[in-house]
Amino acid sequence: QVKLEESGGNSIQAGGSLRLSCKATRSPSRYTNYCLGWFRQAPGKEREGVAALDSSGSTSYATSVQGRFTISEDKSINTVYLQMNNLKPEDTAMYYCAWKWGGWRPPPLADSEYNHWGQGTQVTVSS
């Protein structure tokens, strides 16, 4: 069992930065490798993968955020971060983190690959 809790969402002006956090609480498992992804969904749009990493450190990014967003992990506190710089109004969405057991290089950005989801944190970017 994996429980995910996102935080860090806020309202911000274009050009600003935010850091989202995803705290993972895991029950003991025979699996050791995993992937964690950040996804977002804007009103009226499909959910899209933004960034992902696997337990070995491999990362993936959507083209739309490449060079602006960075995913990282602090394994000591079971937390994955999404540093978002130079935010744009089109980044406005509910952001979710998601988990799958099993490492993969590069980690997938398809939401169908993930089976544990957090409740989301809202990011609103104004122009």
Side-chain angles (χ1 to χ4, degrees), residues 1-7 21-25 36-41 47 94-100 114-122:
Q1 185 73 11
V2 178
K3 180 181 177 182
L4 303 172
E5 185 173 0
E6 305 95 334
S7 61
S21 300
C22 176
K23 171 74 173 178
T25 303
L36 193 144
W38 281 101
F39 296 81
R40 66 186 181 187
Q41 188 166 23
R47 186 164 56 191
M94 184 71 79
Y95 283 71
Y96 302 89
C97 63
W99 176 284
K100 69 180 292 289
Y114 295 82
N115 47 22
H116 298 278
W117 291 83
Q119 294 300 307
T121 186
Q122 177 69 36

Side-chain angles (χ1 to χ4, degrees), residues 54-74:
D54 87 338
S55 45
S56 73
S58 179
T59 58
S60 299
Y61 293 95
T63 302
S64 59
V65 305
Q66 187 82 37
R68 299 189 298 124
F69 291 12
T70 303
I71 189 169
S72 63
E73 180 181 25
D74 186 339

